[in-house]
Amino acid sequence: MIKIGVLALQGAVREHIRSLEACGVEAVVVKRKEELQDLDGLILPGGESTAMRRLIDKYDFMDALKEFAHSGKPMFGTCAGLILLAKQLVGYNEPHIGVMDIQVERNSFGRQVDSFEADLAIKDVAETFPAVFIRAPHIVEAGEDVEILCKHNDRIVAARDRQFLGCSFHPELTDDHRITAYFVEMVKEAKQKQLV
Ligand code: GLN
């Protein structure tokens, strides 16, 4: 059985759990770093990246998260989670986990449009996907080997870099589980490789 955790320090945790369960895998709420150990993949939810970072430090999670990332197990960051995964952040000297070869800008859709919905085409996932953006970041630049999965108004809003998947929006806030299912497939493939 595939087991996927959702980092549960802050943010939209329950919705990701529901989406993972809808995809038929075991979903685990992760509150302590020891709980990362027997997972096959991890979701970093949306919320507020600075608040999440504070809690990551408070509960001594950072080394364990980096280790998880470097072990080859897939990670999926949504919104604030995307910010945590990026190697570079506009206006900041240091990244957080810093494993996905992208540069991300926070709160980049402007104040007037704090939140909005758009039907987007996502490569390998859906021809139209109902994407919910809430004070969303976007990907300003992506490394050569990064696969761009989706753009909105010329801005990159979903991408994959090896075992890392990230999007600007909140797929878990809809009943459309196709991105979660795509991530579950990534996790299954990675697990298969590790068994070989
Ligand atoms: N604006 C938030 C941040 O910078 C992200 C918003 C979200 O996760 N919905 O962390």
Side-chain angles (χ1 to χ4, degrees):
M1 178 77 163
I2 295 285
K3 222 181 189 187
I4 298 179
V6 182
L7 185 67
L9 298 175
Q10 197 254 349
V13 174
R14 209 167 10 113
E15 295 83 354
H16 274 298
I17 296 282
R18 191 183 56 106
S19 188
L20 285 167
E21 284 173 350
C23 294
V25 297
E26 189 179 344
V28 183
V29 173
V30 176
K31 293 201 164 166
R32 291 179 307 114
K33 60 179 179 181
E34 292 76 20
E35 288 162 337
L36 292 173
Q37 245 147 40
D38 56 344
L39 299 178
D40 302 307
L42 182 69
I43 292 181
L44 306 168
E48 222 288 317
S49 56
T50 47
M52 235 181 259
R53 175 57 195 268
R54 235 175 281 130
L55 294 167
I56 284 174
D57 291 340
K58 182 170 175 196
Y59 295 104
D60 194 26
F61 248 101
M62 190 47 98
D63 285 346
L65 287 170
K66 285 186 176 162
E67 211 173 285
F68 192 92
H70 293 295
S71 73
K73 290 182 181 177
M75 290 171 110
F76 178 21
T78 61
C79 206
L82 171 74
I83 297 168
L84 295 181
L85 286 179
K87 274 193 184 166
Q88 281 186 297
L89 298 174
V90 174
Y92 294 79
N93 293 328
E94 294 289 326
H96 298 292
I97 303 173
V99 286
M100 206 172 158
D101 192 14
I102 53 173
Q103 186 183 35
V104 166
E105 183 174 352
R106 294 179 65 200
N107 303 326
S108 55
F109 285 91
R111 282 187 162 252
Q112 306 87 314
V113 283
D114 258 1
S115 60
F116 61 95
E117 277 187 54
D119 285 329
L120 303 180
I122 306 174
K123 186 171 177 272
D124 297 337
V125 176
E127 269 172 32
T128 56
F129 187 92
V132 180
F133 292 79
I134 305 170
R135 289 178 58 74
H138 84 285
I139 299 170
V140 180
E141 248 182 66
E144 250 175 45
D145 297 329
V146 175
E147 192 178 6
I148 292 164
L149 300 178
C150 179
K151 282 187 178 181
H152 177 56
N153 293 344
D154 279 335
R155 292 176 157 186
I156 306 169
V157 293
R160 175 176 178 176
D161 176 16
R162 295 157 296 141
Q163 76 270 34
F164 306 113
L165 177 67
C167 65
S168 300
F169 47 89
H170 284 263
E172 78 286 2
L173 297 183
T174 67
D175 287 325
D176 192 323
H177 302 297
R178 285 177 291 176
I179 296 191
T180 309
Y182 178 89
F183 179 62
V184 167
E185 280 311 309
M186 283 172 59
V187 174
K188 284 184 182 165
E189 277 169 30
K191 187 168 184 173
Q192 203 62 40
K193 267 193 208 149
Q194 288 189 336
L195 291 177
V196 172

